[in-house]
Amino acid sequence: MGVTAILGGQWGDEGKGKIVDYLAKDADIVARFSGGNNAGHTVINDQGEFKLHLVPAGAFWPQVLCVIGNGVVVDPDALLDEISGLQKRGIDLNGRLVVSERAHLVMPHHTVLDGLSEIAKGSQALGTTGRGIGPAYTDKAARIGIRAADLSDVDALLPRLESVLDHANAIITKVYGGEALSLEEVFDSCKRWSENLSPFIGPVEHIVYDAVEGGKTVILEGAQGALLDLDHGTYPYVTSSHPTIGGAQTGLGLLPRQIDAVLGVFKAYSTRVGSGPFVTELLGETGDTMRERAKEFGTTTGRPRRVGWFDSVVARYSTRVNGYTSLIINKLDVLDDFDSIKVCSHYELDDEVVWDFPGSAGALERCTPVYEELPGWDGTTAGVTKLADLPDEAIAYVRRLEELTGVPVDMISTGPHRRESVEVRSVIQT
Ligand code: IMP
């Protein structure tokens, strides 16, 4: 029994949703701890294909309690739409979903401010998902956020909402020349959210603590990835939360001793959405082939993802930040048709050899990748479920990733469906 964190090792979109859905068969709780509906987790199982943004990917196993922790920012309308969309497809979350009373809400002014600030930044824009995530975390830190608990007494909330909205409207109108939001309309939304979301709001920290101490199996579902972490990522081209292991603790009120395993999820190559340095990016025909093969278009925004070779400088850094006990390599099948496959072992920067990921975005922009070239494989990995059925070269590729990162691989994913998975060792701590 234990607590296993499933974390994104790169820039998000590593396929964590599929892995959580697969592993949740043995879980009692699946808990999100950071980010918001900027995340987009695709899950394909025997019930169909689902795109989740806030609801944890444990939703498809009836024994699983889905939890949204205090570290998540929750857009109430997005969550309610997701709950009812799942309900229509036979996934009932009543009594199976708890949102922390301490979770901050993504308010309508946050979404407006996200859009306006991106436009104002012009060529310096971050390429956010436009879901209001940065402004929601900004208000949380500025202590002018609205939390799920506030929906339990909307009349008491009104005076604070008025002052919060005055502040937001001043920025919207005076800084950006936008249109002010109406207090009445936002308050009406709060009343509606209070009515519809209240049954899902509860004391998450206590529920999770009691479950862990009672020996239950808990999966911590990461969103985004280590390189998008506000502190550890490629700042300023990051998200505004902590998708790393520290975020899992503060985002759920967990104790360090309660986390038993940390699984780092990586694609067999790299992708990134939005602006920012990406040393192994492929801009030519190889990149286009990889993008099309892998259908690399954002789940949340539909934007084409930037693609590149596996970067072990990134992977070693992300391992250092998160302390992975093992790795999961996703989308190996995307590399099936390549004659040879490159892996970046280290960088060169101003004629110096660089093994450790630089902290400055400027330095990263000047880094060039140094590649090893490994042979591609005859045959296919797509849909393979047993290690022995993988081509030797594909196994050799995965082994090389283990050597370059210093962490054993527990599982390989060979397709989007839950069943297209190869267990290399036992993955969940029992
Ligand atoms: P924000 O989180 O919407 O503020 O966006 C900040 C940066 O993080 C942008 O580059 C986004 O593309 C990126 N980002 C946010 N969420 C995800 C995700 O779930 N997958 C990949 N990139 C993301």
Side-chain angles (χ1 to χ4, degrees):
M1 298 298 173
V3 178
T4 302
I6 313 283
L7 303 181
Q10 296 156 313
W11 281 278
D13 307 316
E14 298 90 353
K16 297 174 291 294
K18 176 202 158 155
I19 301 301
V20 171
D21 172 58
Y22 179 86
L23 297 179
K25 64 180 183 297
D26 297 322
D28 300 295
I29 289 184
V30 176
R32 274 280 303 269
F33 58 81
S34 71
N37 62 325
N38 48 349
H41 290 169
T42 302
V43 171
I44 306 180
N45 53 36
D46 294 342
Q47 287 143 288
E49 175 168 348
F50 301 87
K51 310 260 182 219
L52 302 174
H53 300 281
L54 279 164
V55 170
F60 307 96
W61 298 97
Q63 85 287 358
V64 168
L65 177 70
C66 293
V67 161
I68 295 181
N70 57 281
V72 178
V73 287
V74 177
D75 179 325
D77 282 325
L79 179 59
L80 287 165
D81 284 353
E82 208 166 309
I83 293 170
S84 73
L86 286 167
Q87 177 87 39
K88 281 188 199 126
R89 297 181 63 189
I91 315 294
D92 185 5
L93 289 168
N94 285 303
R96 280 210 309 127
L97 172 69
V98 194
V99 179
S100 169
E101 51 205 351
R102 292 183 169 84
H104 280 246
L105 303 183
V106 178
M107 299 294 287
H109 51 274
H110 294 142
T111 321
V112 170
L113 282 165
D114 196 358
L116 290 171
S117 71
E118 280 286 272
I119 293 167
K121 285 193 184 95
S123 64
Q124 300 296 305
L126 304 181
T128 73
T129 59
R131 298 297 187 271
I133 305 302
Y137 280 112
T138 302
D139 281 5
K140 174 176 177 174
R143 291 155 297 175
I144 52 171
I146 311 282
R147 306 198 300 175
D150 295 319
L151 296 177
S152 66
D153 185 353
V154 280
D155 290 329
L157 169 65
L158 183 58
R160 206 155 63 80
L161 181 66
E162 187 170 4
S163 127
V164 163
L165 208 59
D166 277 351
H167 175 79
N169 277 337
I171 302 174
I172 289 171
T173 57
K174 294 185 186 145
V175 176
Y176 296 120
E179 221 173 285
L181 276 77
S182 134
L183 174 63
E184 200 187 341
E185 279 175 30
V186 176
F187 188 54
D188 281 348
S189 296
C190 289
K191 287 193 269 191
R192 186 168 45 78
W193 298 333
S194 169
E195 209 169 296
N196 299 331
L197 267 188
S198 290
F200 296 103
I201 296 171
V204 155
E205 302 78 14
H206 298 292
I207 295 170
V208 172
Y209 181 86
D210 289 346
V212 174
E213 295 301 302
K216 303 276 190 203
T217 299
V218 178
I219 290 177
L220 314 177
E221 175 181 317
Q224 289 84 42
L227 276 292
L228 288 175
D229 184 280
L230 183 58
D231 279 272
H232 301 292
T234 47
Y235 193 90
Y237 302 101
V238 291
T239 190
S240 298
S241 66
H242 297 287
T244 42
I245 194 64
Q249 288 170 22
T250 51
L252 284 162
L254 278 173
L255 309 179
R257 68 162 169 81
Q258 290 177 318
I259 299 178
D260 300 293
V262 185
L263 308 192
V265 184
F266 287 81
K267 279 178 180 160
Y269 50 97
S270 306
T271 64
R272 161 159 220 173
V273 199
S275 317
F278 183 2
V279 177
T280 63
E281 182 166 19
L282 286 166
L283 292 167
E285 206 181 303
T286 315
D288 293 340
T289 311
M290 199 184 267
R291 183 180 305 102
E292 290 303 322
R293 257 199 78 85
K295 302 193 185 65
E296 290 292 359
F297 299 90
T299 310
T300 300
T301 60
R303 288 180 288 178
R305 294 182 184 136
R306 299 159 67 193
V307 297
W309 296 115
F310 189 91
D311 184 338
S312 40
V313 184
V314 161
R316 283 193 298 270
Y317 172 67
S318 143
T319 300
R320 187 166 303 168
V321 169
N322 280 328
Y324 304 128
T325 48
S326 59
L327 305 184
I328 294 179
I329 303 297
N330 270 343
K331 295 193 140 195
L332 187 61
D333 53 301
V334 167
L335 302 181
D336 273 0
D337 288 340
F338 286 93
D339 292 335
S340 67
I341 298 162
K342 290 184 181 172
V343 183
C344 170
S345 56
H346 61 282
Y347 302 155
E348 273 175 10
L349 170 63
D350 305 333
D351 296 327
E352 301 273 331
V353 171
V354 174
W355 288 90
D356 294 329
F357 196 67
S360 120
L364 276 168
E365 295 288 6
R366 298 200 316 280
C367 283
T368 51
V370 178
Y371 288 116
E372 294 179 4
E373 200 154 347
L374 282 84
W377 40 89
D378 274 337
T380 177
T381 68
V384 168
T385 58
K386 292 197 195 80
L387 193 62
D389 293 340
L390 287 175
D392 289 345
E393 294 82 357
I395 296 177
Y397 177 70
V398 173
R399 293 289 176 233
R400 187 67 191 133
L401 301 189
E402 286 185 324
E403 285 164 7
L404 286 165
T405 53
V407 188
V409 170
D410 256 1
M411 188 166 148
I412 298 163
S413 170
T414 56
H417 195 283
R418 182 193 278 164
R419 77 173 87 84
E420 293 170 311
S421 309
V422 181
E423 284 197 28
V424 179
R425 299 187 317 178
S426 167
V427 265
I428 196 131
Q429 299 292 300
T430 54

